[in-house]
């Protein structure tokens, strides 16, 4: 039988363990050196002679003290060091929570991202927070958002329901980018939240049979993505921010853990969901280090 002293020691030890885990999740893991998550795959109808390295950064959520312009610039240098052919940004550059010491203006985080360099360029899409925290765009129900203008001012191409043809080693491929699926909040005459994404219209801009890489901030679009698309890249979920044994208790997706994180293959269609770099709602990461994606195709 456990004694009163033993019981108090157990309670005290459990409390200290919880405090230590909480301190690690808030103060340590979010600030650890970035993990490079590598994927190697040949998706459907990918040309045999096309070897392509794509590096992806998602969910920067610029803010102080967690994701300063200096840290973003260092992430850009890490991405460049991977020697990518193409760099893609998967949205949510704007802070997604109030637990910050200061906001980072768009001009500053965009300037830090301007250090990204790749032979085939740097292409971006926007995320829900890039829309939600732009009151002018919310009132208008349309862009361009402050985030889009900042990225374009930094020399980064932004794709919103658009497709861009690229070529490497004599092989063409398409990079398509969706507008955000959760862009508009209720209000301003809108009873419900609404998206601005147009999957069919975006893919209609593809004018030949070359393979397609689709950028979609939220992975929830994936069940609608046709087999014609070789690979879909998404962010948004942050891998749940807390992930243990392949499971995340809370995932901002209608599909829960189905599209929470990692490489998903369904009906010979490929989706990769990044765990992202920053966080929203709470500054907590546990079992889900900040990460940059390196994807080698072919």
């Amino acid at each position: 039988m456990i004694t009163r002293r033993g019981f108090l020691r157990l309670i005290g030890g459990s409390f200290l363990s919880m405090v230590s885990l909480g301190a690690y999740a808030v103060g340590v893991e979010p600030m650890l050196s970035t993990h490079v998550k590598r994927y190697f795959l040949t998706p459907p109808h990918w040309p045999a002679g096309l070897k392509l390295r794509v590096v992806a950064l998602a969910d920067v959520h610029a803010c102080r003290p967690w994701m300063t312009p200096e840290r973003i610039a260092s992430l850009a240098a890490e991405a460049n060091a991977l020697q990518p052919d193409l760099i893609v940004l998967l949205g949510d550059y704007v802070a997604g929570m109030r637990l910050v010491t200061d906001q980072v203006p768009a001009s500053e985080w965009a300037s830090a991202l301007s250090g990204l360099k790749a032979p085939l360029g740097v292409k971006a899409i926007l995320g829900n927070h890039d829309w939600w925290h732009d009151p002018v765009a919310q009132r208008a129900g349309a862009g361009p958002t402050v985030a889009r203008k900042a990225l374009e001012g930094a020399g980064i191409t932004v794709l919103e329901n658009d497709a861009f043809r690229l070529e490497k080693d004599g092989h063409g491929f398409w990079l398509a980018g969706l507008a955000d699926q959760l862009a508009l909040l209720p209000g301003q005459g809108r009873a419900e939240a609404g998206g601005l994404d147009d999957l069919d219209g975006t893919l209609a801009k593809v004018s030949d049979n070359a393979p397609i890489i689709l950028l979609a901030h939220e992975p929830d679009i994936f069940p609608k993505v046709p087999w014609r698309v070789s690979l879909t890249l998404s962010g948004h979920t942050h891998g749940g921010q807390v992930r243990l044994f392949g499971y995340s208790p809370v995932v901002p997706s209608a599909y829960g853990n189905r599209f929470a994180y990692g490489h998903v293959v369904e009906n010979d269609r490929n989706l990769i969901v990044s765990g992202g770099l920053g966080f929203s709602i709470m500054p907590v990461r546990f079992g889900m280090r900040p990460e940059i994606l390196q994807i080698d195709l072919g």
Side-chain angles (χ1 to χ4, degrees):
M1 179 180 293
I2 188 170
T3 65
R4 180 174 181 274
R5 178 172 293 184
F7 176 75
L8 291 175
R9 283 178 177 172
L10 177 63
I11 294 297
S14 298
F15 175 75
L16 289 174
S17 296
M18 288 188 292
V19 170
S20 297
L21 286 174
Y24 173 83
V26 174
V28 179
E29 187 159 324
M31 305 303 288
L32 285 174
S33 59
T34 309
H35 172 59
V36 177
K37 179 67 174 179
R38 293 177 169 88
Y39 295 95
F40 302 88
L41 66 150
T42 302
H45 45 79
W46 191 261
L50 177 54
K51 294 190 179 298
L52 183 73
R53 174 169 292 179
V54 180
V55 165
L57 286 74
D59 303 290
V60 171
H61 289 300
C63 64
R64 293 183 173 87
W66 313 107
M67 191 63 72
T68 64
E70 294 77 16
R71 187 177 182 198
I72 296 169
S74 72
L75 292 169
E78 289 182 49
N80 292 342
L82 297 174
Q83 299 183 309
D85 298 305
L86 172 68
I87 295 176
V88 298
L89 305 176
L90 300 177
D92 272 3
Y93 316 96
V94 177
M97 61 181 181
R98 296 181 179 179
L99 296 175
V100 302
T101 59
D102 195 13
Q103 300 292 330
V104 174
S107 59
E108 294 186 21
W109 57 253
S111 177
L113 289 172
S114 71
L116 291 166
K117 304 295 179 186
L120 297 180
V122 182
K123 316 297 181 186
I125 57 173
L126 302 181
N128 55 302
H129 286 283
D130 304 320
W131 280 90
W132 290 358
H133 300 285
D134 189 327
V136 174
Q138 287 295 316
R139 285 194 296 270
T145 60
V146 170
R148 174 165 187 154
K149 289 186 282 190
L151 287 164
E152 291 177 337
I156 297 171
T157 301
V158 179
L159 301 176
E160 291 187 280
N161 297 330
D162 210 350
F164 199 95
R165 194 179 192 280
L166 297 166
E167 189 169 308
K168 180 175 184 280
D169 298 334
H171 296 279
F173 68 96
W174 290 85
L175 187 70
L178 287 186
D180 192 67
Q181 301 158 57
L182 302 172
L184 302 178
L185 294 166
Q188 307 298 325
R190 297 183 296 270
E192 299 180 355
L196 296 173
D197 56 301
D198 180 1
L199 179 62
D200 292 340
T202 301
L203 297 181
K205 296 179 180 180
V206 174
S207 59
D208 61 27
N209 293 323
I212 304 168
I213 298 172
L214 176 68
L215 311 181
H217 178 66
E218 294 89 359
D220 286 27
I221 194 71
F222 186 60
K224 300 178 182 178
V225 175
W227 184 80
R228 171 75 177 85
V229 174
S230 295
L231 175 65
T232 301
L233 299 179
S234 294
H236 182 65
T237 66
H238 307 181
Q241 289 188 193
V242 174
R243 190 167 180 83
L244 299 172
F245 308 110
Y247 176 80
S248 300
V250 179
V251 182
S253 165
Y255 296 93
N257 273 269
R258 179 176 167 185
F259 303 141
Y261 175 68
H263 186 194
V264 179
V265 180
E266 292 187 355
N267 300 321
D268 204 25
R269 297 170 306 124
N270 286 262
L271 166 71
I272 294 177
V273 183
S274 170
L277 293 161
F279 29 56
S280 60
I281 302 177
M282 293 290 289
V284 171
R285 277 185 177 264
F286 190 82
M288 181 51 57
R289 285 175 58 184
E291 70 177 24
I292 293 173
L293 298 186
Q294 175 189 307
I295 305 158
D296 287 285
L297 300 172

